[in-house]
Amino acid sequence: MKHILFSVLFAASLAAGHAAELLKPFVPGEIWPDNNGVHINAHGGGILFHEGTYYWFGQHMVAGGAGNVAHVGVSVYSSKDLYNWMDDGIALPVSEDSQSEITKGCILERPKVIYNKKTGKFVMWFHLELKDQGYNAARSGVAVADKVTGPYQYLGSFRPNAGVWPANVPDDRKKPLTEEEAAAISKIHLPGGPVPDYPKESLFRLHHECGQMARDMNLFVDDDGKAYHLYSSEHNGTLHISQLTDDYLKPAGKYIRIFPGDFNEAPAMFKHQGKYYIISSGCTGWSHNPARLSMADSIWGPWKSLGHPAVGTDEQKATTFESQSTFVLPVQGKKDAFILMSDRWKPENAIDGRYIWLPLQFNDDGLPFSEWKDKWDLGEFEKP
Ligand code: DGJ
C-alpha cells in the first residue's frame, strides 16, 4: 500500500515537474522503492551525473540463489535528487544468443558508466565471467551508447594489458616466467582469497602475454579528463590501476600494481583536496569484511594503506555495516560531499540485496570515514 501511494505521488510529482517535493531521507538497508514502488534493482552499481541528472547503473538481479548470475542485464535508473529514482529500464541486456560472451547466465558484475566529452559517447565497463566457467575468465567487458540510458552496444571483452609490463615494477622483474616457474605456480591452489603461498610477485608475469585477470572493478575520471580502470587482478591478490585510451574504450598501455598479496576487492576511487583515495574490501565472497582505505598524492602512487574507513562498534567495523563498497559518489553542487555507496548482498535471494549509502565524513587529519546512520539526508553535508 505504502509503495502504491509512493508510486502515485512520485508519478504525479514528476508530471508536475517537481520530484524534489518527495524528498525523503536515505534509509540504509531498507527496501528502496523506485517510481513504480519496486525495490531498486541496481546492485554493485555506480552513478554518472550528466546534464543535471544522476544515472544509477547496476546489476539487475533476480530472485533466489540463481539470481547472482545475469538473467537480464544492466539496469539504469535516473534521479534529480538522489532520493527518488525512476526506472529507465535495461541499459545493456544480456543476449539470448548462446554464442554471445554476454549470453544469459554469464556473470556480469559491477557495471560502471562514464561519459567521454571528446566522442560524445557513454562508455560502460563491467566485470565479465563467461557462462558456466565460474570466476575463471576474469575479463573486462565494454559497451557503448549514444544516449545515457542506452541501449548500449556490446563491443567485446578481454583481459587488460596483454603484452604490457606494469609501470611500477623494476626492470629485472619485467620478464615472462620460465617454464619451470610457471609449472610451480600451476600447482598452487588460488581460490581468489588469501593463501599462505600466494605467489605475489609472479602472477603478473604469468599473465603478461594473455592479459591480466580483471574481476571486481571500477572506473575513475580525473579532473583532466583522463580515465582509469581499477580492478582486482592476479587471482584477486593485487589491485591494478590502468589508464584508458582517450576514447575510454581500451587500456592505454600504462598500469600499476598496488598492494600485492593484500587481496582487495570492491575498489572505489575518489579525489578530495588533490589526494586520491581508494575504499576497498577484503576477499570473502558475498560475506562482509572490514573495509580498507588507501591514499596517494598521484594516481600512479605510491599508495599508502590507512586502515579502516568504517567507524563504529567492533561488529560494525568487522562487517563494514554488513556491506561492501561499490562506488563513491561526489554530490553535485556541494563541497566536500561524497556518498559511499555499498551493497548488502543477499546471495540466497539476490534481488533482495540492499543498498547502504552513507555520507563520507572527514576527520581532523582530513581523512575520510563513514559512520552508521539509521536515516540521513543531504543536509548532513551542511553540518559544521
Ligand atoms: C565479492 C565481489 O565483490 C562481488 O562482486 C562478487 O564477485 C562476489 N565476490 C562473488 O562471490
Side-chain angles (χ1 to χ4, degrees):
M1 183 61 198
K2 220 167 95 192
H3 290 173
I4 295 171
L5 183 65
F6 171 80
S7 182
V8 170
L9 280 173
F10 189 79
S13 168
L14 278 183
H18 41 75
E21 275 181 17
L22 271 179
L23 194 88
K24 60 190 178 92
F26 300 109
V27 192
E30 294 301 310
I31 289 286
W32 193 340
D34 66 8
N35 60 311
N36 299 313
V38 176
H39 182 46
I40 291 172
N41 197 336
H43 309 267
I47 289 183
L48 171 70
F49 182 76
H50 186 72
E51 294 181 350
T53 301
Y54 294 96
Y55 295 90
W56 177 357
F57 296 84
Q59 292 162 238
H60 182 287
M61 287 174 147
V62 301
N68 298 305
V69 306
H71 294 272
V72 178
V74 176
S75 26
V76 55
Y77 293 79
S78 57
S79 172
K80 294 274 187 202
D81 64 7
L82 292 173
Y83 307 106
N84 302 286
W85 291 90
M86 163 112 93
D87 182 357
D88 287 321
I90 300 302
L92 174 70
V94 291
S95 173
E96 295 294 336
D97 174 0
S98 62
Q99 298 307 306
S100 166
E101 288 184 332
I102 56 165
T103 190
K104 208 169 171 173
C106 69
I107 293 175
L108 194 168
E109 291 183 341
R110 298 181 177 273
K112 303 289 179 292
V113 173
I114 52 180
Y115 175 63
N116 189 296
K117 286 187 189 147
K118 285 185 189 147
T119 62
K121 305 269 185 199
F122 298 89
V123 182
M124 179 188 291
W125 284 65
F126 51 89
H127 165 200
L128 176 67
E129 297 292 348
L130 304 175
K131 190 178 175 193
D132 299 331
Q133 295 187 23
Y135 279 84
N136 291 322
R139 297 172 79 81
S140 303
V142 182
V144 71
D146 292 322
K147 196 172 148 236
V148 59
T149 50
Y152 282 75
Q153 186 203 346
Y154 179 61
L155 297 181
S157 79
F158 47 85
R159 282 189 170 186
N161 291 309
V164 182
W165 290 111
N168 64 340
V169 305
D171 282 347
D172 64 356
R173 307 289 300 155
K174 294 180 181 170
K175 53 180 185 222
L177 293 185
T178 62
E179 271 178 37
E180 293 72 34
E181 285 171 323
I185 285 185
S186 70
K187 296 201 181 85
I188 303 174
H189 176 52
L190 295 166
V195 282
D197 47 358
Y198 176 72
K200 68 176 186 180
E201 290 307 328
S202 302
L203 291 170
F204 75 92
R205 293 172 55 204
L206 182 67
H207 299 142
H208 170 71
E209 212 171 306
C210 59
Q212 300 294 324
M213 296 175 80
R215 292 197 183 122
D216 276 15
M217 58 140 276
N218 225 313
L219 299 177
F220 173 76
V221 182
D222 208 343
D223 305 329
D224 60 4
K226 288 194 168 59
Y228 301 84
H229 177 209
L230 296 85
Y231 52 92
S232 302
S233 193
E234 305 179 30
H235 289 273
N236 291 347
T238 301
L239 280 176
H240 290 186
I241 302 175
S242 170
Q243 191 174 329
L244 300 185
T245 48
D246 286 350
D247 58 10
Y248 300 168
L249 298 178
K250 295 188 199 86
K254 179 174 182 184
Y255 75 103
I256 56 167
R257 308 170 63 235
I258 61 170
F259 305 123
D262 279 0
F263 286 87
N264 282 278
E265 279 192 324
M269 187 185 282
F270 66 103
K271 191 177 186 181
H272 179 238
Q273 296 183 346
K275 308 244 183 245
Y276 297 85
Y277 293 93
I278 295 175
I279 290 178
S280 58
S281 73
C283 290
T284 52
W286 298 113
S287 312
H288 313 299
N289 56 56
R292 300 153 178 204
L293 175 71
S294 54
M295 186 187 84
D297 290 330
S298 154
I299 213 155
W300 298 123
W303 284 84
K304 193 171 153 199
S305 190
L306 296 173
H308 309 300
V311 168
T313 64
D314 287 350
E315 171 69 14
Q316 287 174 327
K317 287 189 279 191
T319 66
T320 317
F321 317 113
E322 295 172 60
S323 68
Q324 188 185 28
S325 44
T326 183
F327 198 70
V328 175
L329 172 69
V331 179
Q332 297 301 312
K334 292 191 189 286
K335 195 170 169 283
D336 302 334
F338 297 87
I339 297 175
L340 172 57
M341 295 168 50
S342 305
D343 292 284
R344 181 174 288 172
W345 305 110
K346 297 276 177 79
E348 65 294 344
N349 186 21
I351 196 172
D352 192 36
R354 303 298 171 89
Y355 309 104
I356 308 297
W357 286 22
L358 292 169
L360 276 183
Q361 304 174 64
F362 292 88
N363 67 19
D364 292 344
D365 296 325
L367 298 179
F369 67 95
S370 65
E371 236 175 358
W372 179 255
K373 302 212 179 282
D374 289 336
K375 287 183 177 176
W376 67 283
D377 60 39
L378 298 175
E380 195 67 38
F381 296 117
E382 318 296 344
K383 290 186 182 164

PDB file of all heavy atoms in Angstrom, residues 172-192:
ATOM      1  N   ASP A 172      64.202  -5.625 -13.880  1.00  0.00           N
ATOM      2  CA  ASP A 172      64.626  -7.034 -13.844  1.00  0.00           C
ATOM      3  C   ASP A 172      63.467  -7.999 -13.548  1.00  0.00           C
ATOM      4  O   ASP A 172      63.627  -9.209 -13.631  1.00  0.00           O
ATOM      5  CB  ASP A 172      65.799  -7.241 -12.872  1.00  0.00           C
ATOM      6  CG  ASP A 172      65.414  -6.931 -11.435  1.00  0.00           C
ATOM      7  OD1 ASP A 172      64.273  -6.492 -11.210  1.00  0.00           O
ATOM      8  OD2 ASP A 172      66.264  -7.139 -10.540  1.00  0.00           O
ATOM      9  N   ARG A 173      62.290  -7.459 -13.195  1.00  0.00           N
ATOM     10  CA  ARG A 173      61.102  -8.317 -12.998  1.00  0.00           C
ATOM     11  C   ARG A 173      60.241  -8.376 -14.264  1.00  0.00           C
ATOM     12  O   ARG A 173      59.253  -9.086 -14.320  1.00  0.00           O
ATOM     13  CB  ARG A 173      60.220  -7.796 -11.847  1.00  0.00           C
ATOM     14  CG  ARG A 173      60.923  -7.570 -10.535  1.00  0.00           C
ATOM     15  CD  ARG A 173      61.328  -8.854  -9.859  1.00  0.00           C
ATOM     16  NE  ARG A 173      60.188  -9.710  -9.562  1.00  0.00           N
ATOM     17  CZ  ARG A 173      60.261 -11.021  -9.423  1.00  0.00           C
ATOM     18  NH1 ARG A 173      61.412 -11.643  -9.584  1.00  0.00           N
ATOM     19  NH2 ARG A 173      59.192 -11.731  -9.142  1.00  0.00           N
ATOM     20  N   LYS A 174      60.608  -7.559 -15.242  1.00  0.00           N
ATOM     21  CA  LYS A 174      59.787  -7.491 -16.461  1.00  0.00           C
ATOM     22  C   LYS A 174      60.206  -8.584 -17.435  1.00  0.00           C
ATOM     23  O   LYS A 174      60.785  -8.314 -18.484  1.00  0.00           O
ATOM     24  CB  LYS A 174      59.927  -6.110 -17.108  1.00  0.00           C
ATOM     25  CG  LYS A 174      59.339  -4.998 -16.248  1.00  0.00           C
ATOM     26  CD  LYS A 174      59.501  -3.640 -16.908  1.00  0.00           C
ATOM     27  CE  LYS A 174      58.942  -2.551 -16.020  1.00  0.00           C
ATOM     28  NZ  LYS A 174      59.272  -1.210 -16.479  1.00  0.00           N
ATOM     29  N   LYS A 175      59.936  -9.807 -17.043  1.00  0.00           N
ATOM     30  CA  LYS A 175      60.253 -10.917 -17.958  1.00  0.00           C
ATOM     31  C   LYS A 175      59.258 -12.053 -17.693  1.00  0.00           C
ATOM     32  O   LYS A 175      58.863 -12.286 -16.533  1.00  0.00           O
ATOM     33  CB  LYS A 175      61.700 -11.366 -17.782  1.00  0.00           C
ATOM     34  CG  LYS A 175      62.071 -11.697 -16.387  1.00  0.00           C
ATOM     35  CD  LYS A 175      63.517 -12.142 -16.278  1.00  0.00           C
ATOM     36  CE  LYS A 175      63.776 -12.585 -14.854  1.00  0.00           C
ATOM     37  NZ  LYS A 175      64.998 -12.176 -14.279  1.00  0.00           N
ATOM     38  N   PRO A 176      58.836 -12.724 -18.749  1.00  0.00           N
ATOM     39  CA  PRO A 176      57.879 -13.822 -18.580  1.00  0.00           C
ATOM     40  C   PRO A 176      58.452 -14.893 -17.666  1.00  0.00           C
ATOM     41  O   PRO A 176      59.675 -15.005 -17.516  1.00  0.00           O
ATOM     42  CB  PRO A 176      57.692 -14.352 -19.995  1.00  0.00           C
ATOM     43  CG  PRO A 176      58.199 -13.286 -20.908  1.00  0.00           C
ATOM     44  CD  PRO A 176      59.238 -12.527 -20.149  1.00  0.00           C
ATOM     45  N   LEU A 177      57.580 -15.686 -17.050  1.00  0.00           N
ATOM     46  CA  LEU A 177      58.055 -16.779 -16.201  1.00  0.00           C
ATOM     47  C   LEU A 177      58.733 -17.843 -17.063  1.00  0.00           C
ATOM     48  O   LEU A 177      58.352 -18.043 -18.225  1.00  0.00           O
ATOM     49  CB  LEU A 177      56.878 -17.439 -15.482  1.00  0.00           C
ATOM     50  CG  LEU A 177      56.132 -16.606 -14.437  1.00  0.00           C
ATOM     51  CD1 LEU A 177      55.079 -17.475 -13.764  1.00  0.00           C
ATOM     52  CD2 LEU A 177      57.072 -16.019 -13.399  1.00  0.00           C
ATOM     53  N   THR A 178      59.697 -18.493 -16.486  1.00  0.00           N
ATOM     54  CA  THR A 178      60.275 -19.637 -17.192  1.00  0.00           C
ATOM     55  C   THR A 178      59.270 -20.791 -17.116  1.00  0.00           C
ATOM     56  O   THR A 178      58.334 -20.756 -16.299  1.00  0.00           O
ATOM     57  CB  THR A 178      61.580 -20.105 -16.523  1.00  0.00           C
ATOM     58  OG1 THR A 178      61.247 -20.532 -15.186  1.00  0.00           O
ATOM     59  CG2 THR A 178      62.607 -18.984 -16.466  1.00  0.00           C
ATOM     60  N   GLU A 179      59.459 -21.796 -17.925  1.00  0.00           N
ATOM     61  CA  GLU A 179      58.544 -22.955 -17.893  1.00  0.00           C
ATOM     62  C   GLU A 179      58.503 -23.581 -16.511  1.00  0.00           C
ATOM     63  O   GLU A 179      57.458 -23.983 -16.020  1.00  0.00           O
ATOM     64  CB  GLU A 179      58.983 -23.997 -18.911  1.00  0.00           C
ATOM     65  CG  GLU A 179      58.347 -23.748 -20.250  1.00  0.00           C
ATOM     66  CD  GLU A 179      58.796 -24.742 -21.304  1.00  0.00           C
ATOM     67  OE1 GLU A 179      58.977 -25.922 -20.969  1.00  0.00           O
ATOM     68  OE2 GLU A 179      58.974 -24.311 -22.456  1.00  0.00           O
ATOM     69  N   GLU A 180      59.667 -23.643 -15.859  1.00  0.00           N
ATOM     70  CA  GLU A 180      59.732 -24.261 -14.517  1.00  0.00           C
ATOM     71  C   GLU A 180      58.940 -23.428 -13.514  1.00  0.00           C
ATOM     72  O   GLU A 180      58.183 -23.956 -12.707  1.00  0.00           O
ATOM     73  CB  GLU A 180      61.190 -24.366 -14.008  1.00  0.00           C
ATOM     74  CG  GLU A 180      62.083 -25.320 -14.773  1.00  0.00           C
ATOM     75  CD  GLU A 180      62.467 -24.791 -16.162  1.00  0.00           C
ATOM     76  OE1 GLU A 180      62.631 -23.567 -16.313  1.00  0.00           O
ATOM     77  OE2 GLU A 180      62.573 -25.608 -17.094  1.00  0.00           O
ATOM     78  N   GLU A 181      59.117 -22.083 -13.601  1.00  0.00           N
ATOM     79  CA  GLU A 181      58.377 -21.209 -12.666  1.00  0.00           C
ATOM     80  C   GLU A 181      56.869 -21.346 -12.896  1.00  0.00           C
ATOM     81  O   GLU A 181      56.087 -21.426 -11.943  1.00  0.00           O
ATOM     82  CB  GLU A 181      58.793 -19.745 -12.877  1.00  0.00           C
ATOM     83  CG  GLU A 181      60.170 -19.411 -12.315  1.00  0.00           C
ATOM     84  CD  GLU A 181      60.639 -18.015 -12.738  1.00  0.00           C
ATOM     85  OE1 GLU A 181      60.374 -17.589 -13.892  1.00  0.00           O
ATOM     86  OE2 GLU A 181      61.269 -17.345 -11.899  1.00  0.00           O
ATOM     87  N   ALA A 182      56.466 -21.369 -14.158  1.00  0.00           N
ATOM     88  CA  ALA A 182      55.037 -21.483 -14.480  1.00  0.00           C
ATOM     89  C   ALA A 182      54.487 -22.823 -13.976  1.00  0.00           C
ATOM     90  O   ALA A 182      53.379 -22.895 -13.443  1.00  0.00           O
ATOM     91  CB  ALA A 182      54.828 -21.340 -15.973  1.00  0.00           C
ATOM     92  N   ALA A 183      55.281 -23.881 -14.133  1.00  0.00           N
ATOM     93  CA  ALA A 183      54.827 -25.199 -13.682  1.00  0.00           C
ATOM     94  C   ALA A 183      54.653 -25.210 -12.166  1.00  0.00           C
ATOM     95  O   ALA A 183      53.688 -25.778 -11.634  1.00  0.00           O
ATOM     96  CB  ALA A 183      55.828 -26.265 -14.112  1.00  0.00           C
ATOM     97  N   ALA A 184      55.569 -24.536 -11.464  1.00  0.00           N
ATOM     98  CA  ALA A 184      55.475 -24.498  -9.995  1.00  0.00           C
ATOM     99  C   ALA A 184      54.201 -23.751  -9.575  1.00  0.00           C
ATOM    100  O   ALA A 184      53.487 -24.179  -8.660  1.00  0.00           O
ATOM    101  CB  ALA A 184      56.714 -23.819  -9.410  1.00  0.00           C
ATOM    102  N   ILE A 185      53.884 -22.671 -10.273  1.00  0.00           N
ATOM    103  CA  ILE A 185      52.694 -21.892  -9.918  1.00  0.00           C
ATOM    104  C   ILE A 185      51.415 -22.674 -10.200  1.00  0.00           C
ATOM    105  O   ILE A 185      50.447 -22.591  -9.442  1.00  0.00           O
ATOM    106  CB  ILE A 185      52.696 -20.548 -10.688  1.00  0.00           C
ATOM    107  CG1 ILE A 185      53.722 -19.644 -10.022  1.00  0.00           C
ATOM    108  CG2 ILE A 185      51.319 -19.891 -10.671  1.00  0.00           C
ATOM    109  CD1 ILE A 185      53.776 -18.273 -10.556  1.00  0.00           C
ATOM    110  N   SER A 186      51.438 -23.457 -11.255  1.00  0.00           N
ATOM    111  CA  SER A 186      50.213 -24.193 -11.596  1.00  0.00           C
ATOM    112  C   SER A 186      49.835 -25.187 -10.500  1.00  0.00           C
ATOM    113  O   SER A 186      48.705 -25.654 -10.435  1.00  0.00           O
ATOM    114  CB  SER A 186      50.366 -24.885 -12.941  1.00  0.00           C
ATOM    115  OG  SER A 186      51.288 -25.934 -12.815  1.00  0.00           O
ATOM    116  N   LYS A 187      50.761 -25.492  -9.622  1.00  0.00           N
ATOM    117  CA  LYS A 187      50.451 -26.438  -8.534  1.00  0.00           C
ATOM    118  C   LYS A 187      49.828 -25.749  -7.325  1.00  0.00           C
ATOM    119  O   LYS A 187      49.335 -26.398  -6.414  1.00  0.00           O
ATOM    120  CB  LYS A 187      51.738 -27.145  -8.090  1.00  0.00           C
ATOM    121  CG  LYS A 187      52.351 -28.001  -9.175  1.00  0.00           C
ATOM    122  CD  LYS A 187      53.288 -29.046  -8.583  1.00  0.00           C
ATOM    123  CE  LYS A 187      53.910 -29.879  -9.675  1.00  0.00           C
ATOM    124  NZ  LYS A 187      55.133 -29.262 -10.261  1.00  0.00           N
ATOM    125  N   ILE A 188      49.876 -24.416  -7.303  1.00  0.00           N
ATOM    126  CA  ILE A 188      49.347 -23.691  -6.132  1.00  0.00           C
ATOM    127  C   ILE A 188      47.845 -23.476  -6.305  1.00  0.00           C
ATOM    128  O   ILE A 188      47.395 -23.040  -7.366  1.00  0.00           O
ATOM    129  CB  ILE A 188      50.053 -22.317  -5.974  1.00  0.00           C
ATOM    130  CG1 ILE A 188      51.559 -22.515  -5.864  1.00  0.00           C
ATOM    131  CG2 ILE A 188      49.520 -21.562  -4.768  1.00  0.00           C
ATOM    132  CD1 ILE A 188      52.347 -21.204  -5.851  1.00  0.00           C
ATOM    133  N   HIS A 189      47.098 -23.778  -5.255  1.00  0.00           N
ATOM    134  CA  HIS A 189      45.653 -23.551  -5.303  1.00  0.00           C
ATOM    135  C   HIS A 189      45.393 -22.060  -5.072  1.00  0.00           C
ATOM    136  O   HIS A 189      45.799 -21.506  -4.055  1.00  0.00           O
ATOM    137  CB  HIS A 189      44.976 -24.399  -4.208  1.00  0.00           C
ATOM    138  CG  HIS A 189      43.511 -24.165  -4.121  1.00  0.00           C
ATOM    139  ND1 HIS A 189      42.676 -24.246  -5.219  1.00  0.00           N
ATOM    140  CD2 HIS A 189      42.714 -23.840  -3.068  1.00  0.00           C
ATOM    141  CE1 HIS A 189      41.436 -23.990  -4.852  1.00  0.00           C
ATOM    142  NE2 HIS A 189      41.431 -23.732  -3.553  1.00  0.00           N
ATOM    143  N   LEU A 190      44.724 -21.423  -6.048  1.00  0.00           N
ATOM    144  CA  LEU A 190      44.477 -19.981  -5.944  1.00  0.00           C
ATOM    145  C   LEU A 190      42.969 -19.740  -5.968  1.00  0.00           C
ATOM    146  O   LEU A 190      42.358 -19.628  -7.042  1.00  0.00           O
ATOM    147  CB  LEU A 190      45.175 -19.248  -7.102  1.00  0.00           C
ATOM    148  CG  LEU A 190      46.697 -19.345  -7.075  1.00  0.00           C
ATOM    149  CD1 LEU A 190      47.311 -18.918  -8.402  1.00  0.00           C
ATOM    150  CD2 LEU A 190      47.269 -18.491  -5.941  1.00  0.00           C
ATOM    151  N   PRO A 191      42.359 -19.698  -4.794  1.00  0.00           N
ATOM    152  CA  PRO A 191      40.894 -19.649  -4.718  1.00  0.00           C
ATOM    153  C   PRO A 191      40.290 -18.254  -4.840  1.00  0.00           C
ATOM    154  O   PRO A 191      39.086 -18.085  -4.711  1.00  0.00           O
ATOM    155  CB  PRO A 191      40.610 -20.217  -3.320  1.00  0.00           C
ATOM    156  CG  PRO A 191      41.809 -19.825  -2.513  1.00  0.00           C
ATOM    157  CD  PRO A 191      42.978 -19.785  -3.458  1.00  0.00           C
ATOM    158  N   GLY A 192      41.116 -17.232  -5.056  1.00  0.00           N
ATOM    159  CA  GLY A 192      40.576 -15.870  -5.137  1.00  0.00           C
ATOM    160  C   GLY A 192      40.538 -15.178  -3.783  1.00  0.00           C
ATOM    161  O   GLY A 192      39.969 -14.100  -3.634  1.00  0.00           O
TER     162      GLY A 192
END
